[in-house]
Amino acid sequence: MTSAPALLLFIASDPERSGATAEALRMGMGLAAGSRSVQVVLSGPAARVLTEEVDELVDGEMIENHLEVFAEWDTPFFVARQAIAEYGIRDAPVPVVPVDDSEIARMLARARNVMVFP
Amino acid sequence: MSSAVSGKKLGILLSAHPDKGDLPAIRSLALAARTAGVDTYLYLIDEGARAYRDPLMDTLRGAGVKLYVCAYGAKPRGVEPDEGAVFGGLAALGGLMDACDRFVSFN
């Protein structure tokens, strides 16, 4: 079990339709830059950022850059199992930890702060 | 007015476009907090920076809410820095999150 983070970003927004997903990752990256612990949970279409189609997404280049930083930090992304299956997530640029809904619920409950991007 | 939460700190973040309809809830939350003596901070970021032009900001400022705007999000949306808010970066947001007893976001 991971320790409770200072901030949990729960991202479910569709990066094919809006820049909210890219902005959420930018915020997560910026807020994790200090000693603050940040967890990223991807659900639903937000998991598309971990696919090869990232270039086709809104602010795709920005997303790629953010993912590179998270990869350098070895920051795991917690991804809903259903989204992993639905979007065929494999060989992601960051470490992926599959989680089910009950695990996500526990993570949300334990985090000091939560930001939800619906 | 003194209350059980008087002196506590509340942070509110808006990243969604004002047209999404979060401003009435933010108004109610922020003004109720101020009435209860809670130190209240509103941070506008990304599309939420557009809300800086909304007349609500004058109301909140008048009630003692401290306003912050993400400079990175403000510039491409034509929101120019002025003395009505602190225009800063994510470091300010992080500090705010750490300092607040409760932090609520509208995304």
Side-chain angles (χ1 to χ4, degrees):
Chain A
M1 178 179 285
T2 55
S3 58
L7 171 65
L8 186 147
L9 293 166
F10 179 86
I11 310 171
S13 53
D14 189 346
E16 210 171 52
R17 295 173 180 269
S18 86
T21 310
E23 178 62 13
L25 292 175
R26 185 183 78 86
M27 289 171 58
M29 191 183 68
L31 293 171
S35 57
R36 199 173 297 106
S37 58
V38 175
Q39 286 182 340
V40 179
V41 177
L42 300 180
S43 180
R48 283 187 169 135
V49 301
L50 302 181
T51 68
E52 291 180 357
E53 66 181 31
V54 65
D55 286 344
E56 302 163 20
L57 305 177
V58 178
D59 296 327
E61 190 176 340
M62 187 187 299
I63 290 172
E64 278 186 307
N65 292 339
H66 296 341
L67 291 177
E68 280 180 23
V69 174
F70 281 117
E72 286 174 10
W73 291 347
D74 208 24
T75 301
F77 275 38
F78 298 86
V79 187
R81 290 183 195 280
Q82 190 175 351
I84 290 175
E86 185 171 353
Y87 297 103
I89 308 296
R90 57 183 182 279
D91 300 326
V94 294
V96 169
V97 179
V99 286
D100 58 31
D101 288 347
S102 62
E103 289 172 301
I104 293 173
R106 281 195 291 274
M107 292 171 73
L108 288 166
R110 290 172 53 233
R112 180 168 183 265
N113 295 294
V114 174
M115 288 189 193
V116 177
F117 292 81
Chain B
M1 177 183 287
S2 180
S3 72
V5 293
S6 182
K8 299 280 189 182
K9 297 182 190 304
L10 170 68
I12 304 171
L13 177 138
L14 175 65
S15 74
H17 195 292
D19 288 350
K20 183 167 172 276
D22 293 318
L23 291 184
I26 290 173
R27 174 193 171 95
S28 299
L29 179 61
L31 294 183
R34 288 300 301 139
T35 300
V38 174
D39 293 335
T40 306
Y41 307 85
L42 174 61
Y43 195 102
L44 305 175
I45 189 169
D46 194 34
E47 290 291 350
R50 298 181 192 278
Y52 190 61
R53 297 195 195 96
D54 192 282
L56 172 61
M57 297 306 126
D58 290 333
T59 302
L60 296 182
R61 201 180 290 113
V65 176
K66 298 175 181 68
L67 303 181
Y68 288 75
V69 183
C70 172
Y72 178 84
K75 190 174 180 182
R77 293 170 178 86
V79 177
E80 295 296 327
D82 62 21
E83 295 177 350
V86 174
F87 283 72
L90 288 170
L93 175 59
L96 204 55
M97 289 185 66
D98 292 343
C100 284
D101 298 285
R102 288 287 184 275
F103 200 88
V104 180
S105 65
F106 294 81
N107 303 303

